Amino acid sequence: MTDLEPVTDLKPGPDGLLRCAWGESTDDYRHYHDTEWGKPVHGEDPLFERICLEAFQSGLSWITILRRREGFRAAFAGFEIAKVAAFTEQDEARLLQDTGIIRNRLKIAAAVANARAAQALDGGLDALVWQFAADPERPAPRTLAEVPAVTPESTALAKELKRHGFKFVGPTTAYALMQACGLVNDHLAGCHAR
């Protein structure tokens, strides 16, 4: 790109559709942007998967996680809460050797702890998470600069998850979870997926 080319936060794809610019950076991102990101996710195990993946992403690029997603699903028993909650120290040691995932001892332990925390919730994970959904009438961001990294809702969600024993769920991770699971719609104004 030269200095004379305009910078935009929407980018047309090969199909002619305008997308949030990040959604046009790779084929993997395009598929994720169009089919998942910002779409409502409900259910205990699907939300648990997203919490785990967002925690593993902390400090890394999302594409790293996205490209290892099937490896994560295989390693973590399809993210079935009951199965992961039953993981032992031997399972955690096995996961540290699994090249299909991010082999981080603290994040692996957090995934197991989070399964146990989810299992112990009175009322379920879905109800806990969705009580922090943003106002659906919130104006669409026009630029990436208008998309926050943290909101009062994500701070409150992170605090509530931590209160129930969840790990690796700070306000920034909680906001990424909210975006990924459709609790907030941060597709830019003009994006076809909005």
Side-chain angles (χ1 to χ4, degrees):
M1 178 166 70
T2 70
D3 291 339
L4 300 176
E5 292 176 9
V7 176
T8 179
D9 292 336
L10 288 174
K11 189 172 180 182
D15 53 8
L17 297 175
L18 283 177
R19 289 178 178 82
C20 305
W22 66 266
E24 266 309 315
S25 59
T26 71
D27 289 342
D28 293 327
Y29 271 157
R30 184 181 308 113
H31 179 76
Y32 178 69
H33 171 276
D34 288 1
T35 63
E36 283 190 70
W37 194 74
K39 307 263 191 282
V41 174
H42 285 281
E44 304 302 293
D45 293 341
L47 284 168
F48 172 65
E49 174 182 1
R50 299 322 193 287
I51 288 171
C52 289
L53 294 178
E54 294 295 344
F56 273 99
Q57 185 271 327
S58 183
L60 302 170
S61 68
W62 180 245
I63 198 73
T64 301
I65 303 305
L66 200 54
R67 289 180 174 161
R68 293 181 185 212
R69 192 173 191 180
E70 291 310 314
F72 277 107
R73 285 177 172 161
F76 286 94
F79 290 103
E80 290 183 41
I81 291 170
K83 289 182 179 178
V84 179
F87 278 14
T88 64
E89 287 181 10
Q90 290 77 20
D91 290 308
E92 291 183 34
R94 170 185 52 81
L95 291 170
L96 281 169
Q97 304 304 314
D98 190 331
T99 59
I101 67 169
I102 304 302
R103 296 175 292 172
N104 178 299
R105 182 181 311 280
L106 293 176
K107 292 177 181 181
I108 290 169
V112 175
N114 290 349
R116 293 174 183 155
Q119 199 172 42
L121 285 173
D122 185 26
L125 185 58
D126 192 283
L128 185 151
V129 169
W130 275 91
Q131 70 181 309
F132 295 97
D135 180 354
E137 300 302 315
R138 177 180 148 205
R142 294 173 319 228
T143 67
L144 291 175
E146 292 180 13
V147 177
V150 174
T151 64
E153 294 87 358
S154 75
T155 301
L157 172 57
K159 184 177 179 180
E160 188 66 6
L161 287 167
K162 286 179 182 178
R163 187 174 78 79
H164 287 284
F166 285 80
K167 312 228 181 272
F168 273 92
V169 288
T172 303
T173 298
Y175 194 68
L177 173 73
M178 292 173 70
Q179 291 173 307
C181 294
L183 280 80
V184 61
N185 185 351
D186 276 343
H187 285 285
L188 301 180
C191 173
H192 85 92
R194 188 160 181 88

